[in-house]
Amino acid sequence: MALTDVDHIGIAVTDLEAAVEHYRRAFGVEPVHRETVEDQGVEEVLFPVGSSYIQLLAPLGPDTPVGRFLAKGGEGIHHVGYRVDDLEAALDRLRAEGVPLVDETGRPGSRGTTVAFVHPKVFRGVLVELVQE
Ligand code: CO
Protein backbone atom coordinates (compact mmCIF):
# COMPACT_ATOMS: atom_id res chain seq x y z
CA MET A 1 0.00 0.00 0.00
CA ALA A 2 1.07 3.59 -0.45
CA LEU A 3 0.88 6.12 2.35
CA THR A 4 0.39 9.18 0.19
CA ASP A 5 0.51 11.85 2.90
CA VAL A 6 0.02 12.58 6.55
CA ASP A 7 -3.66 13.52 6.44
CA HIS A 8 -3.85 14.91 9.94
CA ILE A 9 -2.55 14.81 13.48
CA GLY A 10 -5.46 14.37 15.88
CA ILE A 11 -5.11 16.26 19.15
CA ALA A 12 -7.54 15.64 22.01
CA VAL A 13 -8.69 18.80 23.78
CA THR A 14 -11.05 19.43 26.68
CA ASP A 15 -12.31 22.86 25.57
CA LEU A 16 -12.61 23.10 21.79
CA GLU A 17 -13.28 26.85 21.61
CA ALA A 18 -10.31 27.70 23.83
CA ALA A 19 -8.04 25.34 21.89
CA VAL A 20 -9.14 26.79 18.53
CA GLU A 21 -8.45 30.28 19.79
CA HIS A 22 -5.00 29.33 21.04
CA TYR A 23 -4.03 27.65 17.76
CA ARG A 24 -5.45 30.58 15.74
CA ARG A 25 -3.46 33.14 17.69
CA ALA A 26 -0.25 31.14 18.08
CA PHE A 27 0.09 30.15 14.43
CA GLY A 28 -1.90 33.03 12.90
CA VAL A 29 -3.85 30.51 10.86
CA GLU A 30 -7.61 30.20 10.43
CA PRO A 31 -9.56 26.98 10.84
CA VAL A 32 -10.93 25.65 7.53
CA HIS A 33 -13.40 23.04 8.69
CA ARG A 34 -15.60 22.15 11.65
CA GLU A 35 -17.70 19.04 11.91
CA THR A 36 -19.40 16.80 14.44
CA VAL A 37 -18.65 13.16 13.66
CA GLU A 38 -21.28 11.28 15.68
CA ASP A 39 -19.81 7.93 14.68
CA GLN A 40 -16.57 8.81 16.47
CA GLY A 41 -18.18 10.79 19.29
CA VAL A 42 -16.25 13.97 18.52
CA GLU A 43 -16.53 17.53 17.35
CA GLU A 44 -13.46 18.48 15.35
CA VAL A 45 -11.85 21.58 13.90
CA LEU A 46 -9.20 21.45 11.16
CA PHE A 47 -6.32 23.86 10.60
CA PRO A 48 -4.43 23.52 7.32
CA VAL A 49 -0.75 22.50 7.25
CA GLY A 50 0.23 22.24 3.59
CA SER A 51 -2.07 19.52 2.26
CA SER A 52 -2.43 18.08 5.79
CA TYR A 53 -4.30 19.23 8.86
CA ILE A 54 -4.05 19.75 12.56
CA GLN A 55 -7.26 18.18 13.87
CA LEU A 56 -8.47 19.41 17.26
CA LEU A 57 -10.84 16.85 18.76
CA ALA A 58 -13.27 17.41 21.62
CA PRO A 59 -15.38 14.51 22.90
CA LEU A 60 -19.18 14.64 22.69
CA GLY A 61 -19.27 12.98 26.12
CA PRO A 62 -17.10 11.24 28.72
CA ASP A 63 -18.02 7.75 27.49
CA THR A 64 -16.41 8.14 24.06
CA PRO A 65 -12.90 7.12 22.93
CA VAL A 66 -11.60 10.70 23.16
CA GLY A 67 -13.46 11.29 26.43
CA ARG A 68 -11.76 8.25 27.95
CA PHE A 69 -8.38 9.30 26.50
CA LEU A 70 -8.68 12.72 28.17
CA ALA A 71 -9.75 11.20 31.50
CA LYS A 72 -6.76 8.88 31.44
CA GLY A 73 -3.93 11.11 30.30
CA GLY A 74 -5.21 14.61 29.61
CA GLU A 75 -4.82 16.61 26.41
CA GLY A 76 -2.32 15.65 23.75
CA ILE A 77 -1.76 13.77 20.51
CA HIS A 78 -4.50 11.16 20.15
CA HIS A 79 -3.74 9.67 16.74
CA VAL A 80 -1.99 10.15 13.41
CA GLY A 81 -4.03 9.93 10.21
CA TYR A 82 -2.25 8.64 7.09
CA ARG A 83 -3.79 9.15 3.67
CA VAL A 84 -4.13 6.09 1.43
CA ASP A 85 -5.50 5.63 -2.09
CA ASP A 86 -7.34 2.40 -1.38
CA LEU A 87 -8.50 1.91 2.20
CA GLU A 88 -9.87 -1.62 1.82
CA ALA A 89 -6.67 -2.80 0.12
CA ALA A 90 -4.64 -1.22 2.95
CA LEU A 91 -6.78 -3.04 5.56
CA ASP A 92 -6.33 -6.32 3.66
CA ARG A 93 -2.59 -5.84 3.74
CA LEU A 94 -2.50 -5.05 7.48
CA ARG A 95 -4.72 -8.08 8.17
CA ALA A 96 -2.37 -10.28 6.14
CA GLU A 97 0.56 -8.91 8.17
CA GLY A 98 -1.23 -9.83 11.40
CA VAL A 99 -1.71 -6.21 12.47
CA PRO A 100 -4.71 -5.91 14.83
CA LEU A 101 -7.38 -3.58 13.46
CA VAL A 102 -9.82 -1.44 15.41
CA ASP A 103 -12.09 -1.15 12.36
CA GLU A 104 -12.42 -4.15 10.06
CA THR A 105 -13.80 -1.94 7.31
CA GLY A 106 -14.03 1.76 6.47
CA ARG A 107 -16.43 4.12 8.22
CA PRO A 108 -17.36 7.77 7.74
CA GLY A 109 -14.72 10.34 8.67
CA SER A 110 -14.91 14.12 8.36
CA ARG A 111 -14.83 16.01 5.04
CA GLY A 112 -16.62 13.09 3.38
CA THR A 113 -13.61 10.80 3.84
CA THR A 114 -13.70 7.10 4.67
CA VAL A 115 -11.49 6.09 7.57
CA ALA A 116 -10.40 3.11 9.64
CA PHE A 117 -8.46 2.96 12.89
CA VAL A 118 -5.62 0.50 13.47
CA HIS A 119 -4.56 -0.76 16.90
CA PRO A 120 -1.62 1.20 18.41
CA LYS A 121 0.35 -1.85 19.55
CA VAL A 122 2.31 -2.51 16.34
CA PHE A 123 2.86 1.22 15.80
CA ARG A 124 4.65 1.61 19.13
CA GLY A 125 1.83 3.15 21.05
CA VAL A 126 0.52 5.43 18.30
CA LEU A 127 -3.12 5.03 17.32
CA VAL A 128 -3.15 5.03 13.52
CA GLU A 129 -6.03 6.13 11.30
CA LEU A 130 -6.09 5.42 7.59
CA VAL A 131 -7.91 8.05 5.54
CA GLN A 132 -9.22 7.75 2.01
CA GLU A 133 -10.42 10.91 0.31
CO1 CO B 1 -8.62 11.50 12.75
Side-chain angles (χ1 to χ4, degrees), residues 8 10 40 44 55 57 79 81 117 129:
H8 61 273
Q40 292 173 30
E44 65 172 61
Q55 179 190 66
L57 295 165
H79 65 272
F117 284 91
E129 179 183 13

Short mmCIF file of all heavy atoms in Angstrom, two decimals, residues 8 10 40 44 55 57 79 81 117 129, ligand 1:
data_model
loop_
_atom_site.label_atom_id
_atom_site.label_comp_id
_atom_site.label_asym_id
_atom_site.label_seq_id
_atom_site.Cartn_x
_atom_site.Cartn_y
_atom_site.Cartn_z
N HIS A 8 -3.69 14.01 8.80
CA HIS A 8 -3.85 14.91 9.94
C HIS A 8 -3.19 14.33 11.18
O HIS A 8 -2.93 13.14 11.26
CB HIS A 8 -5.32 15.20 10.23
CG HIS A 8 -6.14 13.99 10.59
ND1 HIS A 8 -6.74 13.21 9.62
CD2 HIS A 8 -6.44 13.42 11.76
CE1 HIS A 8 -7.38 12.22 10.21
NE2 HIS A 8 -7.21 12.30 11.52
N GLY A 10 -4.29 14.17 15.02
CA GLY A 10 -5.46 14.37 15.88
C GLY A 10 -5.03 14.67 17.30
O GLY A 10 -4.27 13.92 17.91
N GLN A 40 -17.80 8.86 15.66
CA GLN A 40 -16.57 8.81 16.47
C GLN A 40 -16.74 9.54 17.80
O GLN A 40 -15.82 9.58 18.61
CB GLN A 40 -15.40 9.43 15.68
CG GLN A 40 -14.98 8.58 14.49
CD GLN A 40 -13.94 9.27 13.62
OE1 GLN A 40 -13.13 10.05 14.12
NE2 GLN A 40 -13.95 8.98 12.34
N GLU A 44 -14.84 18.20 15.74
CA GLU A 44 -13.46 18.48 15.35
C GLU A 44 -13.36 19.78 14.56
O GLU A 44 -14.30 20.21 13.91
CB GLU A 44 -12.89 17.33 14.53
CG GLU A 44 -13.60 17.14 13.20
CD GLU A 44 -12.86 16.12 12.32
OE1 GLU A 44 -12.76 14.97 12.76
OE2 GLU A 44 -12.41 16.49 11.24
N GLN A 55 -5.86 18.49 13.56
CA GLN A 55 -7.26 18.18 13.87
C GLN A 55 -7.45 18.26 15.38
O GLN A 55 -6.94 17.42 16.12
CB GLN A 55 -7.58 16.77 13.36
CG GLN A 55 -8.98 16.27 13.62
CD GLN A 55 -9.09 14.79 13.28
OE1 GLN A 55 -8.48 13.95 13.91
NE2 GLN A 55 -9.88 14.48 12.26
N LEU A 57 -9.73 17.77 18.49
CA LEU A 57 -10.84 16.85 18.76
C LEU A 57 -11.37 17.05 20.17
O LEU A 57 -10.61 16.91 21.13
CB LEU A 57 -10.34 15.41 18.70
CG LEU A 57 -9.84 14.83 17.40
CD1 LEU A 57 -9.08 13.54 17.71
CD2 LEU A 57 -11.02 14.56 16.51
N HIS A 79 -4.02 10.60 17.84
CA HIS A 79 -3.74 9.67 16.74
C HIS A 79 -3.10 10.41 15.57
O HIS A 79 -3.11 11.64 15.50
CB HIS A 79 -5.00 8.95 16.27
CG HIS A 79 -6.03 9.85 15.65
ND1 HIS A 79 -7.00 10.50 16.37
CD2 HIS A 79 -6.25 10.19 14.35
CE1 HIS A 79 -7.76 11.20 15.56
NE2 HIS A 79 -7.33 11.05 14.32
N GLY A 81 -3.26 10.40 11.37
CA GLY A 81 -4.03 9.93 10.21
C GLY A 81 -3.15 9.92 8.97
O GLY A 81 -2.58 10.96 8.60
N PHE A 117 -9.50 2.87 11.86
CA PHE A 117 -8.46 2.96 12.89
C PHE A 117 -7.76 1.61 13.03
O PHE A 117 -8.37 0.55 12.87
CB PHE A 117 -9.07 3.38 14.23
CG PHE A 117 -9.41 4.85 14.29
CD1 PHE A 117 -10.68 5.30 13.91
CD2 PHE A 117 -8.46 5.77 14.70
CE1 PHE A 117 -10.99 6.65 13.95
CE2 PHE A 117 -8.77 7.12 14.75
CZ PHE A 117 -10.04 7.56 14.37
N GLU A 129 -4.79 6.04 12.07
CA GLU A 129 -6.03 6.13 11.30
C GLU A 129 -5.65 6.18 9.82
O GLU A 129 -4.75 6.94 9.45
CB GLU A 129 -6.80 7.39 11.69
CG GLU A 129 -8.10 7.60 10.93
CD GLU A 129 -8.79 8.90 11.31
OE1 GLU A 129 -8.15 9.76 11.96
OE2 GLU A 129 -9.95 9.08 10.93
CO CO B 1 -8.62 11.50 12.75
#
